[in-house]
Amino acid sequence: MELLTYAPVASLKGFPGNALPGEWLLEALVLAAFAHQVRKDEAFAKEARRFVLEGVYQGSGELVSGLKERLFAARPELADLAVADLPLEGVERRRILVWDLERKEVVGDREAQVFEGALSLGLPEALARLAPAARSFAESLADHEMERLKGTPLEPFYQKLRARMKGDSFPLRLGDYAEDHFRTWLLPFYRIKEVAEVLRKRLGLNPWPRRLYAWKEVSLGWVFLESGR
């Protein structure tokens, strides 16, 4: 299997040992599995929503950990999996832009290491089977961001990205692509007013990223996994 970057993958802290962390791939695929489970399993969706509304958690980290625990209870084949780190070549340091989705404008910049290219990788079978879930989640995330970036220089990028998602390979989002990308765990609930209200009161947030990172007119972190040729 090959990983092809459609947009640069960024790390604000740098890539330790010039490697793409395997845990990034694992996290992206597990997140896709969670969104799929919420969408397809009504009982699981109710349990996850109940935890968001009533659960004992002190911050976003504990909230995400609780949602993962419930996913692994429902899908035990996804627990205790690992993906090896992938060695990188050609890592560069760049100033990346910070886009505010509410204001539809650049509000600053950050320094980061970025990578572009192709990598060979192997995935456990349980993760490789998540291709449909990964595609569906990536489409939802791209649509959400594109809607909020209409009329900006980033809109054409999302139009091309959505067209690319219709191919045989499946998309993922990796690395540091938003200031608060933990919120993507909450995207399955963003239309539920009671959930949004609880999140605002308890954690002071809305259930989607507010600020994204970009390089020139490209939103960061989009990659595609496809069978090796």
Side-chain angles (χ1 to χ4, degrees):
M1 180 172 285
E2 288 186 324
L3 181 154
L4 307 175
T5 58
Y6 187 80
V9 175
S11 175
L12 296 176
K13 297 181 179 179
F15 294 99
N18 273 351
L20 181 72
E23 63 184 26
W24 286 7
L25 281 161
L26 181 60
E27 177 78 5
L29 288 163
V30 168
L31 173 55
F34 173 76
H36 178 80
Q37 200 74 14
V38 169
R39 189 172 61 253
K40 297 296 185 180
D41 184 336
E42 184 176 350
F44 177 82
K46 288 182 178 179
E47 169 62 21
R49 185 166 63 247
R50 184 181 303 111
F51 174 71
V52 175
L53 293 173
E54 305 171 5
V56 179
Y57 53 87
Q58 298 302 314
S60 59
E62 291 185 10
L63 172 58
V64 171
S65 294
L67 294 174
K68 282 184 182 179
E69 288 176 7
R70 282 154 179 79
L71 174 65
F72 293 153
R75 300 281 301 276
E77 74 276 11
L78 300 179
D80 301 321
L81 292 174
V83 178
D85 294 347
L86 305 177
L88 299 177
E89 294 182 0
V91 172
E92 298 181 0
R93 186 166 293 279
R94 298 178 186 171
R95 301 296 298 186
I96 59 176
L97 302 176
V98 181
W99 272 87
D100 189 295
L101 295 186
E102 295 179 3
R103 294 163 59 179
K104 293 189 176 184
E105 63 183 17
V106 176
V107 294
D109 58 32
R110 307 274 312 260
E111 186 173 271
Q113 285 189 348
V114 300
F115 163 76
E116 294 181 86
L119 300 171
S120 296
L121 75 154
L123 289 178
E125 182 61 28
L127 293 179
R129 288 197 297 267
L130 293 175
R135 180 187 304 280
S136 178
F137 179 75
E139 289 174 345
S140 297
L141 186 57
D143 287 345
H144 172 84
E145 294 175 9
M146 182 166 62
E147 177 66 24
R148 281 148 187 80
L149 290 167
K150 281 185 176 179
T152 74
L154 286 174
E155 183 181 4
F157 167 79
Y158 280 97
Q159 293 171 339
K160 294 177 182 178
L161 173 65
R162 287 294 280 112
R164 174 69 172 81
M165 287 181 180
K166 297 178 181 179
D168 294 333
S169 55
F170 66 93
L172 289 176
R173 195 83 176 275
L174 299 180
D176 292 320
Y177 58 83
E179 283 189 350
D180 43 15
H181 64 300
F182 69 86
R183 300 185 191 196
T184 50
W185 279 85
L186 306 172
L187 277 175
F189 308 116
Y190 84 92
R191 288 192 177 93
I192 303 174
K193 292 183 179 180
E194 60 178 336
V195 171
E197 184 64 21
V198 166
L199 292 171
R200 279 194 293 269
K201 289 181 177 179
R202 291 186 61 170
L203 302 180
L205 57 81
N206 290 315
W208 54 74
R210 177 183 176 186
R211 291 179 172 177
L212 300 177
Y213 299 139
W215 164 248
K216 296 184 178 180
E217 297 176 356
V218 173
S219 177
L220 296 182
W222 296 100
V223 306
F224 285 84
L225 300 184
E226 60 182 40
S227 300
R229 297 189 177 94

